[in-house]
Amino acid sequence: LRKNVREVISPNEGLSSREMNRAKRKARQAVNKQRSREAMEDTNGEEIEKKRIKTDVKEEYIIQYDLEAGDAGDWPLEWFCDQLSQDLFSSCWETRHGAATALREVLTVQGDGAGRATYIPSCQMETYHQIWLEDMSIRLLCVLALDRFGDFVSDAVVAPVRETCAQALCGVLKLMNVPACNGVLKILLQLLDHQEWEARHGGLLGLKYLLAVREDMIDVYLPESFPFILQVMHRFLKIFI
């Protein structure tokens, strides 16, 4: 316990003035030593904590460097798009909408490099690119089929998640080959025959952007999809009439 100088020398009554001054000096020296010792302990603790923080930062830097070195040669946005594709299935509609918006912009500007890498042979580059696009299209189609969020405004409804996913799918379809686009068309036509109106709405949105972006296949896709479109419109009219 800390004590004042007077408390330390108070029991020594009957001392001369010289002895009292000597006792005071010794008491002050003892107090100063105690303070310096506590200050050194605090300083050592801070230095140990700083060393620990520096070590953690150094280890984190090494781990990050190893990861970046391991991904050298890949498409720079590969990891980012992978995270966004996982966020497409979030339970929060704002997260799904944000992920779809980011994917739409990335695919529109940098989609041609998706799935490509410097270590892939040039003869296989297009194959890996198409595989990546097919995988992304499946994820977007799943959102079109499963999303149920609708913002009702007076007598109209807005589906921001499905609309944005259909726009992102448009960026994928623009880069896909014809057989893959045919597969997407078949899935969209199946959605048009779904019992849930949200799924049919998602199918219509995807079909709208498919017909808009693949004008080279409009003569094939439009006759094939037109009967399904009429059927869906007839079902909607029966609901509201």
Side-chain angles (χ1 to χ4, degrees), residues 14-31:
L15 298 176
S16 63
S17 59
R18 180 179 296 179
E19 292 175 345
M20 288 286 292
N21 292 331
R22 185 182 300 172
K24 288 181 181 180
R25 286 196 299 270
K26 289 183 178 180
R28 289 194 184 96
Q29 290 176 359
V31 172

Side-chain angles (χ1 to χ4, degrees), residues 42-226:
D42 294 339
T43 304
N44 292 334
E46 292 177 359
E47 290 179 356
I48 293 173
E49 188 66 23
K50 289 181 180 179
K51 290 181 180 179
R52 186 178 302 170
I53 293 174
K54 289 181 179 179
T55 304
D56 295 340
V57 172
K58 186 177 181 181
E59 291 177 356
E60 183 179 357
Y61 174 78
I62 293 173
I63 294 173
Q64 184 177 2
Y65 177 79
D66 292 341
L67 289 174
E68 292 177 354
D71 295 337
D74 287 339
W75 184 42
L77 299 175
E78 182 77 28
W79 179 85
F80 181 61
C81 289
D82 183 63
Q83 294 297 316
L84 292 176
S85 63
Q86 295 179 20
D87 291 337
L88 287 175
F89 301 97
S90 173
S91 59
C92 180
W93 77 266
E94 292 92 347
T95 303
R96 299 196 302 272
H97 182 252
T101 303
L103 282 172
R104 179 191 63 191
E105 300 303 321
V106 170
L107 293 171
T108 301
V109 180
Q110 299 289 338
D112 190 56
R116 303 181 189 272
T118 56
Y119 52 82
I120 298 176
S122 58
C123 59
Q124 301 178 4
M125 192 80 72
E126 185 62 25
T127 302
Y128 280 90
H129 178 57
Q130 292 298 323
I131 291 174
W132 192 96
L133 293 174
E134 289 182 15
D135 179 76
M136 183 57 64
S137 65
I138 292 173
R139 296 173 186 268
L140 294 170
L141 287 170
C142 288
V143 179
L144 291 177
L146 298 175
D147 181 70
R148 296 293 182 267
F149 176 74
D151 188 8
F152 291 88
V153 181
S154 65
D155 58 345
V157 60
V158 180
V161 177
R162 295 193 292 275
E163 180 72 30
T164 310
C165 281
Q167 294 173 359
L169 182 63
C170 177
V172 176
L173 293 170
K174 181 175 61 176
L175 302 171
M176 293 177 69
N177 53 31
V178 174
C181 289
N182 294 338
V184 173
L185 176 63
K186 292 180 180 179
I187 296 176
L188 292 174
L189 295 180
Q190 292 177 8
L191 290 179
L192 295 182
D193 196 31
H194 203 275
Q195 294 182 355
E196 299 289 338
W197 74 266
E198 294 91 347
R200 297 197 300 270
H201 182 241
L204 284 175
L205 290 174
L207 189 59
K208 176 181 71 173
Y209 287 103
L210 172 62
L211 296 176
V213 74
R214 296 310 300 255
E215 295 181 355
D216 56 328
M217 298 295 295
I218 193 69
D219 295 335
V220 178
Y221 290 162
L222 185 58
E224 185 176 354
S225 58
F226 191 71

